């Protein structure tokens, strides 16, 4: 079926006007999705991750120390790491230690069962709960997010560490 040339041209004009009208009605200051366009090129950029925060945790026990201690003390680390700002924030709760905590550190890089030097000492009071935050270096952030940091608390009876736990991302 052949269409007269005038009908074809009129159809193209109507379609073009319709597309132009749709384009203008969808323009707003708020993006409709995570994808954005670049006005100069019209290309689509990569979507931005919805969350840059990684939730992390550790279970502290004497059995996790290297070498293990006979401590009945236990504890938890609840933490977050912001990948954009490199800020690591933590809350450490513990109980049942042989005496007052004399020191506490995040150590790394080290996998479970391996000792490492302190990467981040805890400053201030060591009474439970211990809350703090620090901005990490790129190397520290890499080790932490790879699961290669552990946290331990020291006491007079266990100067090398009484309870310990590997800090890992929550599932």
């Amino acid at each position: 079926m052949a269409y007269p040339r005038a009908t074809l041209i009129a159809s193209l004009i109507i379609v073009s006007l319709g597309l132009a009208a749709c384009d203008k009605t969808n323009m707003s200051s708020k993006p409709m999705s995570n994808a954005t366009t670049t006005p100069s090129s019209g290309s689509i950029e990569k979507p931005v991750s919805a969350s840059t925060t990684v939730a992390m945790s550790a279970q502290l026990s004497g059995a996790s120390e290297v070498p293990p201690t006979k401590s009945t003390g236990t504890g938890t680390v609840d933490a977050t790491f912001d990948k954009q700002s490199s800020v690591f924030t933590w809350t450490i709760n513990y109980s049942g230690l042989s005496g007052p905590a004399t020191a506490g550190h995040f150590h790394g890089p080290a996998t479970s069962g391996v000792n490492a030097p302190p990467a981040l000492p805890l400053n201030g009071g060591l009474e439970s709960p211990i809350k703090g935050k620090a901005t990490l270096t790129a190397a520290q952030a890499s080790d932490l997010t790879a699961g290669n940091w552990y946290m331990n608390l020291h006491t007079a009876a266990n100067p090398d560490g009484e309870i310990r736990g590997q800090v890992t991302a929550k599932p």
Side-chain angles (χ1 to χ4, degrees), residues 56-69 73-79 88 90-94 97 104-116 120 122 143-144 147-154 160-169:
M56 309 190 88
S57 65
Q59 298 297 315
L60 309 176
S61 71
S64 296
E65 278 290 350
V66 178
T69 67
T74 60
T76 60
V77 176
D78 287 306
F88 180 50
W90 62 86
T91 300
I92 302 163
N93 286 287
Y94 67 88
L97 298 182
H105 311 93
F106 288 96
H107 294 254
T111 56
S112 185
V114 177
N115 287 326
L120 181 64
L122 302 181
D143 290 337
L144 172 68
N148 290 325
W149 268 25
Y150 65 90
M151 192 285 141
N152 75 343
L153 292 170
H154 306 254
D160 292 331
E162 182 160 334
I163 58 174
R164 167 182 167 157
Q166 202 72 22
V167 180
T168 58

Side-chain angles (χ1 to χ4, degrees), residues 31-48:
M32 295 178 68
S33 71
N34 284 341
T36 58
T37 58
T38 304
S40 59
S41 67
S43 64
I44 296 178
E45 296 176 358
K46 248 183 169 175
V48 176

Side-chain angles (χ1 to χ4, degrees), residues 14-104:
I14 291 170
V15 169
S16 295
L17 289 174
L19 289 174
C22 286
D23 187 46
K24 288 180 183 173
T25 59
N26 285 334
M27 294 178 81
S28 73
S29 61
K30 295 180 182 176
M32 295 178 68
S33 71
N34 284 341
T36 58
T37 58
T38 304
S40 59
S41 67
S43 64
I44 296 178
E45 296 176 358
K46 248 183 169 175
V48 176
S49 174
S51 175
T52 61
T53 303
V54 178
M56 309 190 88
S57 65
Q59 298 297 315
L60 309 176
S61 71
S64 296
E65 278 290 350
V66 178
T69 67
K70 295 182 183 202
S71 177
T72 58
T74 60
T76 60
V77 176
D78 287 306
T80 58
F81 177 68
D82 187 309
K83 295 184 281 188
Q84 255 184 339
S85 65
S86 293
V87 172
F88 180 50
T89 306
W90 62 86
T91 300
I92 302 163
N93 286 287
Y94 67 88
S95 63
L97 298 182
S98 62
T102 57

Side-chain angles (χ1 to χ4, degrees), residues 131-142:
K131 296 182 180 213
K133 69 179 180 176
T135 302
L136 305 184
T137 66
Q140 288 174 322
S142 178

